[in-house]
Amino acid sequence: MPTSTLTSRGQTTIPKPIREALGLQPGDRVKFTLEEDKVLLRRAGADLSALDGLLAHLGEEPVSLEEMNEAVRTAASKNVGAHEKSGGEK
């Protein structure tokens, strides 16, 4: 298991096998998470929990082309009506 020494300024070098495994390059940011007596090191931005629920709509029934066209017609007619009421040109 790779080890590293902490400097008097609180800095350390991430061992090469760890950098390679995480795909870390100079300038990359890392995130530290404390879990009881352990520290987890991750690439910053690699946490996928922000994507939670992104694909929730996949369980829904798809919308037909006709339903999409009707929704576009309805929205377009509302926009035209609002535009005409405001005195705008067609």
Side-chain angles (χ1 to χ4, degrees):
M1 176 166 287
T3 62
S4 182
T5 302
L6 189 67
T7 69
S8 61
R9 295 181 53 196
Q11 298 174 336
T12 190
T13 299
I14 300 170
K16 186 175 182 179
I18 304 299
R19 292 192 315 266
E20 289 175 345
L22 294 176
L24 293 173
Q25 300 294 319
D28 285 350
R29 297 183 59 81
V30 294
K31 178 180 177 180
F32 297 92
T33 305
L34 184 60
E35 290 188 1
E36 296 180 18
D37 65 339
K38 300 174 189 165
V39 176
L40 300 177
L41 172 73
R42 297 183 180 154
R43 291 182 62 144
D47 183 8
L48 301 181
S49 66
L51 302 178
D52 186 34
L54 182 67
L55 303 177
H57 70 282
L58 292 181
E60 297 175 11
E61 204 52 38
V63 178
S64 71
L65 185 56
E66 292 79 23
E67 290 171 310
M68 285 190 277
N69 286 338
E70 181 59 32
V72 169
R73 277 192 290 276
T74 301
S77 66
K78 288 179 182 178
N79 287 339
V80 168
H83 186 69
E84 288 173 350
K85 286 180 183 178
S86 69
E89 296 179 11
K90 287 188 179 178

